[in-house]
Amino acid sequence: MVEIDLVALIVDEYDPAIAFFTDVLGFDLVEDFPSLTTDGQPKRWVVVRPPGAQTGILLARGCGEHQRAAIGNQVAGRVGFFLRVDDFDAAYRRMAEAGVTFVREPRAEPYGRVAVFLDIAGNRWDLLGSA
């Protein structure tokens, strides 16, 4: 068996990122414990995951100038993350009411309904739902 377990997302700080993913997007906080970088600096191992999903997101605080420069631009300004929901209208409304910035309003595509939003770091995501 082969599966993608985690995808790293570089963030400014852990706690606001955890709040965004859990309180706003409804993800579960599945791991949060102290750890160390490869050069011995303190960090946290923080994993969030949509309820019932296999793949999670490792929230990694940016360390050093190079990593901090990538915050919000991990995929060079493209949509790089995709959140599929059962009820597109309810998710869109809940997220908008929570203050999520949508940079493209909902539209219909051959693969379903889509709206582009920014996460707490400024990365672009597609909110996806059935047509």
Side-chain angles (χ1 to χ4, degrees), residues 59-83:
L59 299 177
R61 187 180 61 196
C63 249
E65 187 177 319
H66 184 68
Q67 289 181 16
R68 293 191 68 72
I71 295 172
N73 195 30
Q74 290 198 185
V75 290
R78 294 187 57 121
V79 171
F81 306 95
F82 304 83
L83 181 63

Side-chain angles (χ1 to χ4, degrees), residues 22-62:
T22 59
D23 298 343
V24 176
L25 298 186
F27 287 26
D28 295 327
L29 176 62
V30 294
E31 295 181 69
D32 183 1
F33 55 85
S35 187
L36 296 174
T37 63
T38 54
D39 61 354
Q41 300 298 313
K43 69 174 186 174
R44 285 162 63 185
W45 180 265
V46 178
V47 176
V48 294
R49 182 176 291 132
Q54 295 297 312
T55 303
I57 298 173
L58 174 70
L59 299 177
R61 187 180 61 196

